[in-house]
C-alpha cells in the first residue's frame, strides 16, 4: 500500500483510530441562526468521513450562545434543542469508521468585534496590522476591535458551567471526545496569553494563573465525561505577536496539560492579529512548532498545514508528529485519504492556497472553493447523503 505508515491504526486516548489522517476543524458557518445542525452541516461531514479520514474534528462549536456567533451559522451545542442534529453528525461520521470529536469553544473573546460585543480577561483591544493577513484576507488589515469588556469572576464561572453542560450533551450524542479550543486568539486563548490577560485574580497575574480557566475546563470535562472520552487541546504554538504567547510558553503549557490528563495536543499557530501564520500561503509552515511540542510530550501531537501526501507520510514516519490534520486539502478534495490509500495520488484535486474558502466566509457568503464547486453545497450531491441508520434506535 502506498504510504502505509499513514494507515497504521493508533490510539488517541482510549479510542482506536484506523489511520493517521484527520479532518481539521473547519468552521463553515452553515448551521441555522441558533447554531443547530442543518442538512448542509451533516452532508459536509458525510463527505469528509466518507473520504477515508480516521478522525473528524468537528468545527468550532459554541458552548454558550452569548459569546459565540449568534445568527452567523456557527455551530452550537449550548441547548438541548441542538442534541438531535449533533447526534446525526456523530452517527454519520461513525458510519464510515472514523472517530468523531467536537472542537468546543468558549466563544470569540476579544476578537468578537465583527459580530458582537468583544469580551475578555482584560480590556485590551486587538488590531489587525498591515502585513499580518494572508492572501484572500487582506481586507481585514486595518481592522481594530472595540475595547473588550473585562469579564467578572462570576461571568467566568458561568462560562465554565455552560461548557460542562455542553460536554454532557456531546457525550449524550455519542461523540468520542472534545477538543478544547485554546487557539487562534479566541476566548480561552485570551486567558492563556500574557498579551491579552492582565488580570490580578485567580484567572490571571502569573503564568500558572493564566492557565486556571483551561485547567478548570479540562478537569471538569474529565469529571463528567469519564476516562474513555478523548479530551484534546488545540493551542497556537506561537502567537507571533510582541508580548504574545511564545513557543516556549506553549511547550510548558503542553507539559502541564499532559500531566493533567489531556489525551492529545493539536498544534496550530497565530491569532487574528497574525493570521498569515494560521492560514499560510504554503504548506509546512506550522510543522516546526508542532515538532518542538512533540519532543516535549509523550501524548500524540496533531499538526495541520501539510498537504502533499509524500510530506504528510514523511512527517508521520519520521515521528515529527503523530497525526496530520487536513483542512483546506479536504475542502479541495474530500477523497484525499482514499486516493492516497489506493495509490491514486495523481487524481487528488489540490488546494491552491487562494484562501477563497475563508475570504467568502468572512464576507458573509457560504464558503467557496476555487477547485471544488461542491464546497458549501454538499447537501445537493447525492453521494454525500447520510448513510441509512444501522438500527432503529439506541438507548441514550
Ligand atoms: C474555512 C476554514 C475554517 C476554519 N475553521 C477553523 C475552526 O473552526 N477551528 C480551528 O481551530 N481552526 C479552523 N481553521 C484552521 C484549520 O483547522 C487549519 O489549522 C488551517 O487551515 C491550516 O491547515 P491547512 O493548511 O490544512 O488548511 C479553519 C480553516 C479554514 C480554511
Amino acid at each position: 500500500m502506498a504510504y502505509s505508515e499513514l494507515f497504521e491504526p493508533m490510539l488517541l486516548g482510549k479510542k482506536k483510530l484506523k489511520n493517521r489522517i484527520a479532518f481539521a476543524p473547519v468552521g463553515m458557518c452553515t448551521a441555522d441562526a441558533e447554531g443547530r445542525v442543518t442538512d448542509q452541516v451533516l452532508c459536509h461531514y458525510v463527505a469528509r468521513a466518507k473520504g477515508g479520514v480516521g478522525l473528524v474534528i468537528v468545527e468550532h462549536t459554541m458552548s454558550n450562545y452569548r459569546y459565540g456567533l449568534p445568527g452567523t451559522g456557527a455551530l452550537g451545542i449550548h441547548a438541548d434543542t441542538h442534541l438531535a442534529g449533533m447526534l446525526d453528525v456523530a452517527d454519520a461520521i461513525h458510519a464510515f469508521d472514523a472517530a468523531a470529536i467536537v472542537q468546543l469553544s468558549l466563544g470569540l473573546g476579544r476578537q468578537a468585534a465583527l459580530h458582537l460585543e468583544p469580551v475578555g480577561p482584560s480590556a485590551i483591544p486587538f488590531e489587525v496590522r498591515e502585513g499580518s493577513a494572508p492572501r484572500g484576507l487582506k481586507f481585514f488589515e486595518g481592522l481594530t476591535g472595540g475595547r473588550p469588556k473585562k469579564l467578572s469572576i462570576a461571568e467566568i464561572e458561568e462560562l465554565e458551567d455552560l461548557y460542562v453542560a455542553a460536554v454532557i450533551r456531546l457525550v449524550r450524542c455519542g461523540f468520542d471526545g472534545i477538543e478544547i479550543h485554546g487557539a487562534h486568539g479566541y476566548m480561552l486563548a485570551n486567558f492563556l496569553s500574557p498579551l491579552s490577560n492582565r488580570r490580578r485574580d485567580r484567572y490571571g497575574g502569573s503564568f500558572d494563573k493564566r492557565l486556571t480557566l483551561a485547567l478548570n475546563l479540562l478537569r471538569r470535562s474529565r469529571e463528567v465525561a469519564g476516562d474513555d472520552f478523548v479530551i484534546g487541546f488545540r493551542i497556537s504554538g506561537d502567537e507571533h505577536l510582541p508580548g504574545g504567547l511564545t513557543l516556549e510558553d506553549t511547550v510548558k503549557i503542553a507539559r502541564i496539560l499532559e500531566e493533567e490528563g489531556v489525551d492529545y495536543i493539536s498544534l496550530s499557530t497565530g491569532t487574528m492579529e497574525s493570521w498569515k501564520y494560521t492560514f499560510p500561503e504554503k504548506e509546512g509552515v506550522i510543522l516546526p512548532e508542532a515538532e518542538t511540542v512533540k519532543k516535549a510530550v509523550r501524548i500524540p501531537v496533531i499538526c495541520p498545514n501539510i498537504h502533499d501526501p509524500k510530506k504528510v507520510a514523511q512527517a508521520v514516519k519520521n515521528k515529527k508528529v503523530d497525526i496530520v490534520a487536513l483542512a483546506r486539502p479536504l475542502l479541495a478534495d474530500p477523497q484525499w485519504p482514499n486516493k492516497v490509500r489506493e495509490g491514486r495520488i495523481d487524481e487528488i484535486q489540490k488546494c491552491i492556497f487562494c484562501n477563497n474558502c475563508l475570504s467568502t466566509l468572512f464576507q458573509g457568503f457560504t464558503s467557496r472553493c476555487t477547485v471544488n464547486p461542491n464546497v458549501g453545497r454538499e447537501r445537493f450531491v447525492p453521494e454525500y447523503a447520510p448513510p441509512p441508520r444501522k438500527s432503529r434506535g439506541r438507548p441514550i
Side-chain angles (χ1 to χ4, degrees):
M1 189 203 295
Y3 305 125
S4 57
E5 52 277 10
L6 278 182
F7 298 93
E8 293 279 324
M10 66 169 280
L11 279 179
L12 192 64
K14 299 216 168 70
K15 180 75 191 167
K16 191 172 172 187
L17 304 183
K18 68 178 172 187
N19 62 41
R20 313 298 177 98
I21 310 162
F23 181 34
V26 169
M28 297 301 277
C29 290
T30 52
D32 74 11
E34 301 290 314
R36 282 181 296 245
V37 169
T38 57
D39 289 351
Q40 173 53 34
V41 172
L42 187 57
C43 297
H44 162 80
Y45 285 108
V46 169
R48 272 76 212 178
K50 199 173 183 178
V53 289
L55 168 65
V56 172
I57 306 170
V58 173
E59 67 204 77
H60 63 165
T61 299
M62 301 303 155
S63 55
N64 64 78
Y65 189 62
R66 188 162 165 207
Y67 304 127
L69 284 166
T72 63
L75 207 53
I77 185 69
H78 45 270
D80 285 352
T81 45
H82 294 53
L83 286 169
M86 288 299 265
L87 175 68
D88 279 345
V89 171
D91 280 353
I93 294 169
H94 286 150
F96 296 99
D97 196 23
I101 285 179
V102 173
Q103 186 184 58
L104 195 55
S105 172
L106 283 176
L108 303 191
R110 70 197 269 270
Q111 293 181 168
L114 285 183
H115 305 280
L116 61 160
E117 185 200 9
V119 295
S122 308
I124 298 164
F126 76 92
E127 184 185 349
V128 184
R129 295 218 165 88
E130 196 84 8
S132 67
R135 178 184 305 143
L137 295 176
K138 298 277 183 209
F139 57 88
F140 273 107
E141 291 181 357
L143 179 79
T144 49
R147 213 174 155 73
K149 177 177 120 48
K150 179 181 166 184
L151 290 168
S152 69
I153 295 251
E155 284 169 326
I156 301 169
E157 286 172 344
E158 188 194 11
L159 278 182
E160 287 182 12
D161 292 344
L162 293 171
Y163 199 88
V164 175
V167 173
I168 293 171
R169 285 188 198 101
L170 293 172
V171 172
R172 290 180 65 202
C173 290
F175 282 98
D176 302 299
I178 56 161
E179 176 173 289
I180 299 174
H181 194 351
H184 301 159
Y186 295 123
M187 185 84 90
L188 184 54
N190 295 164
F191 280 80
L192 294 175
S193 174
L195 175 68
S196 44
N197 185 347
R198 310 272 170 86
R199 299 180 78 91
R200 291 280 174 270
D201 57 21
R202 67 176 192 267
Y203 290 100
S206 67
F207 178 86
D208 288 339
K209 286 181 174 177
R210 289 200 301 273
L211 256 73
T212 305
L213 180 55
L215 294 182
N216 286 354
L217 297 181
L218 170 60
R219 289 173 188 150
R220 293 186 61 188
S221 299
R222 180 64 79 204
E223 205 175 297
V224 295
D227 286 343
D228 290 348
F229 196 68
V230 182
I231 303 185
F233 198 98
R234 196 168 214 205
I235 188 164
S236 291
D238 193 322
E239 291 192 323
H240 298 281
L241 293 171
L245 207 69
T246 63
L247 188 54
E248 206 181 314
D249 295 328
T250 298
V251 164
K252 271 166 73 183
I253 294 171
R255 284 196 179 122
I256 294 169
L257 291 171
E258 176 178 37
E259 262 171 45
E260 290 278 345
V262 123
D263 293 308
Y264 73 86
I265 301 289
S266 171
L267 237 283
S268 185
T269 196
T271 77
M272 194 171 172
E273 289 170 287
S274 55
W275 256 354
K276 66 178 178 195
Y277 297 96
T278 314
F279 309 114
E281 294 176 10
K282 57 181 186 181
E283 66 179 316
V285 172
I286 302 168
L287 181 59
E289 291 178 29
E291 261 188 274
T292 305
V293 172
K294 163 91 184 141
K295 282 184 194 141
V297 295
R298 290 175 307 276
I299 47 175
V301 172
I302 303 183
C303 176
N305 181 237
I306 317 176
H307 294 202
D308 175 45
K310 198 167 163 192
K311 291 184 182 149
V312 172
Q314 272 169 359
V316 170
K317 189 176 180 183
N318 299 332
K319 302 200 182 327
K320 292 184 171 181
V321 293
D322 299 278
I323 295 174
V324 172
L326 308 169
R328 291 168 294 180
L330 288 195
L331 293 183
D333 190 346
Q335 284 288 324
W336 190 107
N338 286 340
K339 287 180 179 172
V340 172
R341 202 186 65 240
E342 293 159 11
R344 295 188 287 130
I345 308 283
D346 293 348
E347 292 175 31
I348 292 174
Q349 208 157 244
K350 291 183 194 149
C351 163
I352 58 169
F353 296 95
C354 64
N355 281 337
N356 196 18
C357 50
L358 290 152
S359 147
T360 41
L361 204 61
F362 284 114
Q363 291 178 77
F365 301 102
T366 311
S367 177
R368 287 192 166 205
C369 172
T370 308
V371 302
N372 179 4
N374 287 330
V375 166
R377 294 174 56 81
E378 285 85 350
R379 66 193 180 285
F380 301 120
V381 180
E383 67 183 279
Y384 299 149
R389 287 198 176 117
K390 283 197 183 125
S391 69
R392 290 193 189 158
R394 59 181 161 86
I396 293 179

